[in-house]
């Protein structure tokens, strides 16, 4: 049976498509040179640039954000897929929701209160979490790691042995990475260290099995100085 659709309904549908395209499609931004800003409260597809930083403002949503030479900044209450940069840091505000991985090669990663994400990885950059939850794990080669107070990491921690490809140029002996598991933090899964590290675990924290390092327990709000 063929159903006839009134012309008025067709006209209305076309008007809605033309007047509100953001409802049906997410804008993606792709650049070679230049920074990108995702406006507060708006929804985007992929945000990609080569030479430039990326700013995702508070409440914005993006499928992913990637740059080569530039930092990534994410405001409070944002939602993203993956975040990645080669030469630059990633700093994330409160209450992030990330369905993908967060990665940088030469740069640090910091996640503020209430973050919910999958995994974090760096090569030459520190990693810091504050009261955040990871469904995956944490990996680095040469970076310090702080699993801050109240954080929960379900996929363990791995510090890989550096190779000639990942060793930054430095003068003198490089300090071993400093790994701190803070008050009331939980790390499920193994803590695997393929190189020398300094591992500090708060008395109230819970961790999985440790290989390649000896945990030093501490109390108080700060880990001991090296």
């Amino acid at each position: 049976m063929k159903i006839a659709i009134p012309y008025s309904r067709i006209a209305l549908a076309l008007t809605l498509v033309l007047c509100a395209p953001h409802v049906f499609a997410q804008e993606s931004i792709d650049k070679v040179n230049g920074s990108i800003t995702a406006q507060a409260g708006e929804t985007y597809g992929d945000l990609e640039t080569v030479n430039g930083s990326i700013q995702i403002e508070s409440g914005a949503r993006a499928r992913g954000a990637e740059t080569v030479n530039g930092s990534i900044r994410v405001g409070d209450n944002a939602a993203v897929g993956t975040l990645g940069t080669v030469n630059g840091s990633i700093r994330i505000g409160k209450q992030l929701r990330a369905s993908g991985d967060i990665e940088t090669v030469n740069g640090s990663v910091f996640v503020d209160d209430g973050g919910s994400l999958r995994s974090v990885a760096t090569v030459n950059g520190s990693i810091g979490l504050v009261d955040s939850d990871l469904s995956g794990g944490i990996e680095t080669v040469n970076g310090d790691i702080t699993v801050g107070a109240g954080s929960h990491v379900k996929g363990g921690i791995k510090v890989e042995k550096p190779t000639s490809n990942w060793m930054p140029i430095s003068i003198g002996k490089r300090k071993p990475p400093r790994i701190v598991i803070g008050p009331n933090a939980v790390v499920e899964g193994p803590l695997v260290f393929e190189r020398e590290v300094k591992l500090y675990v708060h008395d109230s924290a819970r961790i999985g099995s440790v290989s390649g390092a000896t945990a030093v327990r501490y109390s108080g709000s700060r880990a001991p100085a090296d």
Side-chain angles (χ1 to χ4, degrees), residues 18-204:
L18 293 174
C19 294
H22 63 278
V23 175
F24 298 92
Q26 297 176 349
E27 178 189 8
S28 291
I29 302 175
D30 190 349
K31 294 184 176 182
V32 175
N33 297 307
S35 298
I36 295 173
T37 298
Q39 300 291 333
E42 298 296 326
T43 300
Y44 296 82
D46 295 318
L47 308 174
E48 298 179 354
T49 184
V50 177
N51 299 305
S53 62
I54 298 175
Q55 174 78 36
I56 300 174
E57 295 182 342
S58 296
R61 297 172 177 270
R63 185 164 55 231
E66 294 184 1
T67 181
V68 177
N69 299 308
S71 61
I72 297 176
R73 298 290 181 266
V74 182
D76 296 342
N77 299 298
V80 299
T82 59
L83 298 175
T85 179
V86 177
N87 299 307
S89 62
I90 299 176
R91 188 174 182 88
I92 295 165
K94 298 179 180 179
Q95 303 297 324
L96 171 77
R97 296 294 177 267
S99 59
D101 301 321
I102 296 174
E103 299 179 347
T104 180
V105 177
N106 299 307
S108 62
V109 175
F110 175 77
V111 183
D112 210 340
D113 291 347
S116 177
L117 49 153
R118 188 161 69 183
S119 67
V120 178
T122 70
V123 177
N124 303 308
S126 62
I127 296 171
L129 308 176
V130 179
D131 193 17
S132 294
D133 295 336
L134 270 67
S135 61
I138 297 173
E139 293 187 8
T140 189
V141 178
N142 297 309
D144 295 340
I145 298 173
T146 300
V147 181
S151 294
H152 190 169
V153 178
K154 294 183 179 179
I157 293 175
K158 184 177 183 180
V159 178
E160 296 183 5
K161 181 179 180 180
T163 66
S164 58
N165 292 330
W166 296 125
M167 282 298 290
I169 298 173
S170 61
I171 300 174
K173 185 177 180 181
R174 185 180 178 89
K175 287 185 176 181
R178 176 181 168 92
I179 315 300
V180 177
I181 313 300
N184 299 306
V186 177
V187 178
E188 296 182 28
L191 287 75
V192 179
F193 304 108
E194 298 179 348
R195 59 172 297 179
E196 180 187 2
V197 301
K198 297 289 185 69
L199 174 61
Y200 301 99
V201 181
H202 195 271
D203 287 338
S204 63

